[in-house]
Amino acid sequence: MSKTVSIIGSGFASLAAASYLAKDGYKVSVYEKNADLGGRARQLKKEGFTFDMGPSWYWMPDVFERFFADFNKAPSDYYKLEKLKPAYKVFFEAGKSITIEDTLEKIYLAFEEEEKGSSKKLKKFIDQAQSNYNIAIKDLVYRPGVSPIELITPATIKKIGQFFGTIAGDVRKEFKNKNLVQILEFPVLFLGAKPSDTPSFYSFMNYADFGLGTWHPQGGMNKVIQAMISLAKSLGVEFFTNASVEKINVSKGKAESISVEGRKIPSDIILAGADYHHSETLLEPKYRQYSEKYWAKKTFAPSSLLFYVGFSKKIDNIEHHNLFFDVDFEAHAQDIYDSPKWPNEPLFYANFTSVTDNTTAPENCENGFFLIPLAPGLEDTEELREEYFEKIITRFEKLTNQEVRKYVIFKESFCVNDFIKDYNSYKGNAYGMANTLLQTAFLRPKLMSSKVKGLFFTGQLTVPGPGVPPALISGKLVSGLIHKEFTI
């Protein structure tokens, strides 16, 4: 008889694990507290507009291909993928902007135009980043973080110095132009920490950016979620929405069931794909691995203030993805990591999928997704949200040289309080736990509980870390551990 697995949450990691476990012969059920599946990757649909509510960058296409290939499938079996040309645009002060194109050759030219001699330095930097990518993504990140020995390979021994240097140190040693420095430091922000706290080895993110490019699944990132749901269902996985898990029940040191809306659901194995901190609060205190002091000392990735805006006209001078680095990068980073507070002048990001995908907005309209990174745990009020929308939309109009306010049809926001309410997110963080040196691999919260047999965890607070591709990998890693412990 098949062993039963109950999975809490339906984000990328949970969905990946569900398919791997079902493929291995387990009877899998997924319980999602919200009305829609997908975790942070849900969609908002309103008045003909479609918005991805969370993840909006499709990087590392090889990780997606590897996931689907494990089931003899390909992304193209489920969704249409387009490489963005250009990848994104970066706005700086005084109306300056740099466009990052879709090939390394074009990017080298853009750097050379900005700083003479920088293209040769960039090529050397990217060659190193590609080497790191090949080691990291093709090997290291597919290890379950059980032991430090996992990190010791002939390839990593040669790279040992890169675990003690920093991205900021490496970039600033070679590049003097402030704008180029910010572009090169930007990709590691996906890892949730400052470039000055991120090990040099993580330059593989720069290869993911420049070398592999930025992609878009037609219809939005949620199309990937729908593909994973379809795959899981074809393997026999059952899904339950509006099913909030209230407790993980333990008997004689073994996870035996979950309580959902007052009903006990027996299970041989329980996999928590919800926020790790929250998942442990579903246990009696004696069964929790990590104390409140533990979580309080950890470096968490930022939260975000998000706006979903429908515009009644096409917007000029923008690309699909746009970064606004026209204010002090260091000051905003300090307001997130060093002395948490609402930033005086925030950097922000805006995407308009309707620039390249006409399925996401009505004709002659634009869908705007705006994101301001914030420290987790901040006070969150409607007044603050409105104040910061005014700040960024004023700068947006100035930097893109147009008026857009009067074309706003509607505006919805999402911030700290919503991350807590909708995702039980620790302090309302948006991306999980940062990948600093002391929060990498085996130093992150474990995939397998050390106190409760049959209880496992997956997602952005455990290995490999924050981001969509790492979430897919996390689901694979935990399913492998489960299969090792409970071979059918």
Side-chain angles (χ1 to χ4, degrees), residues 57 88-98 100 178-179 182-183 186 189 311 315-330 332-333 336 343 345-352 355 367-373 388-389 391-402 404:
W57 293 78
Y88 55 90
K89 187 174 185 178
V90 189
F91 292 84
F92 300 99
E93 56 189 338
K96 174 73 177 176
S97 68
I98 297 176
I100 301 302
K178 179 182 174 184
N179 295 345
Q182 289 189 328
I183 288 173
F186 150 68
L189 297 179
F311 293 97
I315 308 293
D316 298 325
N317 306 323
I318 47 112
E319 300 295 344
H320 184 117
H321 293 293
N322 308 269
L323 302 167
F324 292 83
F325 288 175
D326 55 306
V327 296
D328 192 332
F329 187 104
E330 293 296 328
H332 190 172
I336 294 174
E345 289 294 343
L347 285 76
F348 68 99
Y349 154 69
N351 89 43
F352 304 85
V355 167
N367 67 338
F369 169 105
F370 296 83
L371 181 154
I372 302 173
Y388 277 79
F389 182 75
K391 280 179 183 278
I392 64 170
I393 208 68
T394 296
R395 282 166 44 205
F396 180 87
E397 289 185 326
K398 180 179 178 182
L399 290 164
T400 62
N401 194 31
Q402 64 194 306
V404 298

Side-chain angles (χ1 to χ4, degrees), residues 180-404:
L180 298 185
V181 167
Q182 289 189 328
I183 288 173
L184 287 171
E185 290 183 346
F186 150 68
V188 301
L189 297 179
F190 283 99
L191 301 172
K194 291 192 298 185
S196 57
D197 292 331
T198 303
S200 302
F201 185 73
Y202 284 102
S203 68
F204 65 73
M205 292 295 292
N206 293 97
Y207 178 71
D209 178 2
F210 290 176
L212 299 178
T214 303
W215 300 73
H216 173 70
Q218 187 173 29
M221 287 293 289
N222 186 257
K223 290 295 184 185
V224 186
I225 289 289
Q226 296 307 317
M228 295 178 74
I229 293 168
S230 177
L231 172 63
K233 285 183 176 178
S234 74
L235 295 165
V237 176
E238 289 190 291
F239 290 93
F240 301 90
T241 54
N242 296 308
S244 182
V245 176
E246 299 152 345
K247 190 177 180 183
I248 298 172
N249 303 299
V250 179
S251 176
K252 298 179 181 178
K254 165 85 169 63
E256 64 167 14
S257 65
I258 55 174
S259 294
V260 180
E261 308 293 334
R263 182 169 60 97
K264 276 192 177 183
I265 299 170
S267 183
D268 296 310
I269 299 150
I270 294 167
L271 171 58
D275 176 274
Y276 204 123
H277 169 269
H278 167 73
S279 295
E280 285 222 314
T281 69
L282 301 177
L283 293 161
E284 292 179 31
K286 65 181 178 180
Y287 295 124
R288 298 172 191 171
Q289 303 168 94
Y290 305 106
S291 67
E292 288 298 323
K293 285 185 179 179
Y294 170 90
W295 295 112
K297 289 179 180 178
K298 293 300 172 184
T299 301
F300 272 79
S303 184
S304 298
L305 170 54
L306 304 166
F307 294 101
Y308 314 105
V309 187
F311 293 97
S312 63
K313 70 179 286 286
K314 300 300 286 185
I315 308 293
D316 298 325
N317 306 323
I318 47 112
E319 300 295 344
H320 184 117
H321 293 293
N322 308 269
L323 302 167
F324 292 83
F325 288 175
D326 55 306
V327 296
D328 192 332
F329 187 104
E330 293 296 328
H332 190 172
Q334 287 176 10
D335 291 340
I336 294 174
Y337 297 103
D338 302 330
S339 52
K341 62 178 182 290
W342 281 83
N344 184 40
E345 289 294 343
L347 285 76
F348 68 99
Y349 154 69
N351 89 43
F352 304 85
T353 59
S354 46
V355 167
T356 55
D357 184 350
N358 61 16
T359 69
T360 58
E363 189 175 358
N364 297 319
C365 293
E366 215 84 87
N367 67 338
F369 169 105
F370 296 83
L371 181 154
I372 302 173
L374 298 172
L378 295 182
E379 177 190 20
D380 172 17
T381 66
E382 288 301 322
E383 291 76 18
L384 281 166
R385 296 185 189 198
E386 195 58 36
E387 175 187 342
Y388 277 79
F389 182 75
E390 287 302 313
K391 280 179 183 278
I392 64 170
I393 208 68
T394 296
R395 282 166 44 205
F396 180 87
E397 289 185 326
K398 180 179 178 182
L399 290 164
T400 62
N401 194 31
Q402 64 194 306
E403 187 177 1
V404 298

Side-chain angles (χ1 to χ4, degrees), residues 3 6 9 28 50 73 79 97 101 116 144 156 192 244 270 272 297 310 318 342 365 375 377 446 465 487:
K3 289 189 180 297
S6 292
V28 182
T50 300
K73 298 288 185 181
Y79 51 88
S97 68
E101 294 288 350
K116 191 170 177 59
T156 58
S244 182
I270 294 167
K297 289 179 180 178
I318 47 112
W342 281 83
C365 293
K446 302 301 183 187
T487 302

Side-chain angles (χ1 to χ4, degrees), residues 97-150:
S97 68
I98 297 176
T99 299
I100 301 302
E101 294 288 350
D102 61 312
T103 68
L104 278 168
E105 289 70 26
K106 293 175 185 175
I107 296 169
Y108 293 148
L109 286 174
F111 267 58
E112 192 65 27
E113 285 180 13
E114 188 70 12
E115 180 182 311
K116 191 170 177 59
S118 65
S119 60
K120 289 184 179 179
K121 294 178 181 178
L122 179 60
K123 187 176 189 312
K124 181 180 176 183
F125 183 78
I126 293 299
D127 285 346
Q128 178 74 264
Q130 182 176 8
S131 171
N132 290 352
Y133 188 91
N134 289 336
I135 294 169
I137 302 302
K138 295 179 180 178
D139 187 10
L140 286 186
V141 296
Y142 284 91
R143 301 188 179 199
V146 172
S147 163
I149 296 172
E150 294 173 2

Side-chain angles (χ1 to χ4, degrees), residues 383-436:
E383 291 76 18
L384 281 166
R385 296 185 189 198
E386 195 58 36
E387 175 187 342
Y388 277 79
F389 182 75
E390 287 302 313
K391 280 179 183 278
I392 64 170
I393 208 68
T394 296
R395 282 166 44 205
F396 180 87
E397 289 185 326
K398 180 179 178 182
L399 290 164
T400 62
N401 194 31
Q402 64 194 306
E403 187 177 1
V404 298
R405 266 190 189 84
K406 66 182 182 182
Y407 299 104
V408 172
I409 302 171
F410 65 84
K411 173 177 96 266
E412 294 201 11
S413 63
F414 197 97
C415 198
V416 173
N417 292 346
D418 301 299
F419 280 102
I420 294 171
K421 179 175 71 72
D422 286 6
Y423 310 127
N424 293 312
S425 173
Y426 182 72
K427 292 187 177 181
N429 80 81
Y431 304 104
M433 188 184 287
N435 259 343
T436 60

Side-chain angles (χ1 to χ4, degrees), residues 42-63:
R42 297 179 298 160
Q43 281 191 329
L44 169 66
K45 294 191 176 187
K46 186 171 181 177
E47 297 184 30
F49 293 85
T50 300
F51 302 88
D52 283 315
M53 295 186 69
S56 59
W57 293 78
Y58 192 108
W59 273 7
M60 305 183 189
D62 52 322
V63 174

